């Protein structure tokens, strides 16, 4: 029987709209990744953008709100991918849906690499970070449920715990933030295909030879 997902934890709200808000967020993420979130001030961000601090506060209430927006950017699409894998089950095995989740996770990471890089560095030092970590745990749990279902179908080997498999799969995907470059030798589709093939060829169940 296919596992049913719990609802994902709620995302935090976004800030006030404004035509410069996207630019402010991009600059903030770049600074947070370069200097560290705690070491970055709103003054640093204003200097980076060539704006006054009051101009930035027109769009956001502070750097914690920017952090929340960046983490939402990293998590929203991935949450949608995982949720869809459970809601659209007709005619598709758990194994097929699991492969699709892994492949699309690579595509999401590449598309949102700066925000995902920031997400992987949070440690739960604030309510914003704790909320993001809760959402990550939900994703881990859903992926583990898909692994369990794929094992039950006989598609995957059953000698590795599902929770360990889910962490290894996400670990492989997340490692891309350390080396992938959009202008490098490998495009997004090639990397997504390679990660999926390597992961699932190793996880496939093989008949024991006597």
């Amino acid at each position: 029987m296919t596992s049913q997902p719990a609802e994902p934890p709620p995302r935090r709200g976004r800030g006030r709209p404004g035509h410069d808000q996207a630019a402010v967020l991009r600059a903030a993420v770049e600074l947070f990744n370069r200097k560290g979130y705690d070491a970055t001030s709103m003054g640093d961000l204003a200097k980076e953008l060539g704006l006054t601090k009051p101009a930035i506060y027109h769009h956001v209430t502070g750097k914690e709100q920017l952090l929340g927006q960046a983490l939402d950017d990293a998590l929203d699409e991935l949450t949608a991918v995982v949720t869809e894998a459970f809601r659209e089950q007709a005619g598709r095995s758990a194994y097929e849906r699991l492969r699709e989740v892994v492949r699309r996770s690579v595509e999401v990471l590449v598309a949102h690499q700066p925000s995902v890089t920031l997400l992987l560095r949070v440690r739960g030092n604030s309510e914003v970070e704790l909320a993001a970590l809760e959402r990550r745990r939900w994703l881990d749990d859903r992926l583990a449920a898909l692994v369990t279902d794929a094992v039950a179908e006989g598609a995957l080997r059953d000698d590795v715990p599902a929770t360990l498999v889910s962490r290894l799969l996400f670990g492989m995907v997340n490692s891309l933030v350390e080396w992938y470059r959009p202008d490098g030798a490998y495009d997004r589709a090639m990397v997504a295909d390679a990660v999926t093939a390597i992961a699932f060829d190793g996880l496939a169940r093989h008949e024991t030879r006597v």
Side-chain angles (χ1 to χ4, degrees):
M1 183 175 180
T2 303
S3 303
Q4 296 297 318
E7 288 299 315
R11 61 189 298 283
R12 299 180 68 87
R14 296 190 182 276
R16 292 186 287 274
H19 69 280
D20 287 331
Q21 190 168 0
V24 172
L25 181 59
R26 284 194 300 271
V29 171
E30 195 279 330
L31 273 177
F32 293 161
N33 283 332
R34 188 193 336 147
K35 298 183 61 174
Y37 172 73
D38 291 334
T40 301
S41 68
M42 292 296 282
D44 294 329
L45 181 57
K47 182 177 180 181
E48 184 81 4
L49 290 166
L51 298 174
T52 63
K53 288 175 67 174
I56 294 178
Y57 284 117
H58 174 73
H59 300 289
V60 295
T61 59
K63 71 173 189 175
E64 188 173 47
Q65 187 177 20
L66 286 166
L67 176 63
Q69 291 174 355
L71 298 179
D72 283 343
D73 180 65
L75 286 161
D76 283 354
E77 194 170 342
L78 186 56
T79 300
V81 167
V82 173
T83 301
E84 180 183 334
F86 281 90
R87 288 181 177 167
E88 297 187 4
Q89 299 178 14
R92 302 174 67 207
S93 67
Y95 176 76
E96 291 170 329
R97 289 181 282 122
L98 179 61
R99 285 188 68 113
E100 181 68 6
V101 166
V102 171
R103 191 184 196 289
R104 290 181 63 188
S105 294
V106 174
E107 295 173 343
V108 169
L109 183 146
V110 170
H112 302 270
Q113 189 170 354
S115 296
V116 174
T117 299
L118 182 61
L119 171 66
L120 297 177
R121 294 177 179 176
V122 303
R123 295 292 180 266
N125 295 328
S126 67
E127 288 187 9
V128 170
E129 293 190 10
L130 288 170
L133 291 177
E134 182 182 357
R135 293 182 70 185
R136 283 191 66 185
R137 283 192 292 272
W138 182 87
L139 292 170
D140 285 338
D141 289 345
R142 294 300 88 213
L143 196 62
L146 269 180
V147 172
T148 298
D149 290 342
V151 170
E153 291 172 349
L156 297 184
R157 57 194 298 168
D158 58 5
D159 58 337
V160 182
T163 53
L164 177 57
V165 170
S166 69
R167 290 178 180 177
L168 290 173
L169 288 173
F170 268 141
M172 183 185 298
V173 173
N174 291 339
S175 70
L176 298 179
V177 303
E178 302 297 334
W179 62 267
Y180 180 79
R181 297 295 177 266
D183 58 352
Y186 312 111
D187 64 24
R188 176 169 60 182
M190 183 183 296
V191 173
D193 287 342
V195 169
T196 305
I198 290 171
F200 288 96
D201 286 348
L203 285 170
R205 184 173 182 175
H206 301 284
E207 295 299 327
T208 302
R209 294 182 179 179
V210 179

